[in-house]
């Protein structure tokens, strides 16, 4: 049994939060209480690091999160590039507001593409897709992680 599944069985874990970190936005998703499904919560419009972290801290508290899954934007050839450094830098700042949270980096290659295809298939307009794409990418990231737990 995985550590996370063991924690679920003993009632020692809370919801898991997925983050799709971008330059202008951070998509946020959370798991259900049983950690089986991911739901989109919101998209944080980046302003200043202090404001971004304050908003994120409020969500971490609201959803009683103790595990954060960051999308890890590897290059298509599997190497880690500049985007990974940006996510790592952001996660270092998050660690300051959530020092006890477990930080997980999850390969997010094509999560935004999958989210866009899902929204197109649902016939969501281009304007509306732009508003929710980051949140949907966070859902795909978190759902991938949750699926790996079983």
């Amino acid at each position: 049994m995985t550590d996370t599944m063991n924690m679920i069985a003993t009632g020692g874990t809370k919801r898991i939060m997925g983050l799709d970190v971008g330059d202008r936005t951070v998509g946020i998703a959370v798991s259900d209480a049983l950690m089986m499904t991911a739901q989109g919560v919101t998209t944080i419009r980046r302003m200043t690091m202090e404001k971004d972290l304050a908003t994120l801290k409020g969500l971490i508290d609201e959803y009683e999160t103790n595990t954060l899954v960051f999308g890890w934007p590897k290059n298509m050839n599997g190497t880690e590039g500049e985007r990974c450094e940006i996510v790592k830098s952001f996660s270092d700042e998050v660690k300051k507001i959530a020092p006890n949270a477990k930080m997980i980096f999850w390969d997010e290659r094509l999560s935004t593409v999958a989210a866009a295809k899902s929204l197109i298939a649902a016939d969501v307009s281009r304007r509306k897709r732009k508003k929710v794409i980051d949140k949907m990418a966070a859902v795909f990231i978190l759902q991938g992680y949750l699926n790996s737990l079983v």
Side-chain angles (χ1 to χ4, degrees):
M1 184 181 291
T2 66
D3 289 343
T4 302
M5 293 306 289
N6 189 38
M7 288 172 58
I8 293 168
T10 60
T13 192
K14 301 176 182 183
R15 292 179 189 238
I16 299 173
M17 182 174 286
L19 296 92
D20 179 42
V21 179
D23 293 328
R24 291 181 282 178
T25 61
V26 179
I28 305 291
V30 295
S31 70
D32 65 333
L34 297 175
M35 284 174 246
M36 296 178 72
T37 62
Q39 294 93 36
V41 172
T42 191
T43 300
I44 298 172
R45 303 280 171 218
R46 308 274 316 256
M47 298 172 137
T48 65
M49 186 59 75
E50 294 76 25
K51 287 181 182 179
D52 300 345
L53 292 174
T55 302
L56 183 57
K57 176 68 171 143
L59 292 168
I60 289 169
D61 292 345
E62 178 182 348
Y63 290 97
E64 299 180 337
T65 302
N66 63 3
T67 302
L68 303 171
V69 179
F70 291 85
W72 195 241
K74 289 183 177 180
N75 297 320
M76 289 309 292
N77 65 4
T79 60
E80 297 176 1
E82 180 183 342
R83 300 300 313 161
C84 288
E85 286 302 317
I86 291 168
V87 171
K88 178 69 173 109
S89 176
F90 186 79
S91 72
D92 289 343
E93 294 298 318
V94 172
K95 193 71 173 164
K96 295 174 185 175
I97 63 160
N100 298 320
K102 181 177 181 181
M103 306 278 185
I104 297 166
F105 298 94
W106 188 257
D107 186 351
E108 72 158 68
R109 283 179 280 184
L110 300 179
S111 63
T112 302
V113 173
K117 285 183 179 182
S118 175
L119 291 167
I120 289 168
D123 203 26
V124 176
S125 72
R126 184 181 307 258
R127 194 173 110 247
K128 288 182 182 176
R129 281 195 312 264
K130 188 175 180 183
K131 291 180 180 179
V132 299
I133 192 72
D134 300 306
K135 175 172 59 174
M136 287 297 296
V139 168
F140 276 84
I141 291 163
L142 181 55
Q143 191 64 57
Y145 175 73
L146 293 174
N147 291 347
S148 78
L149 298 177
V150 278

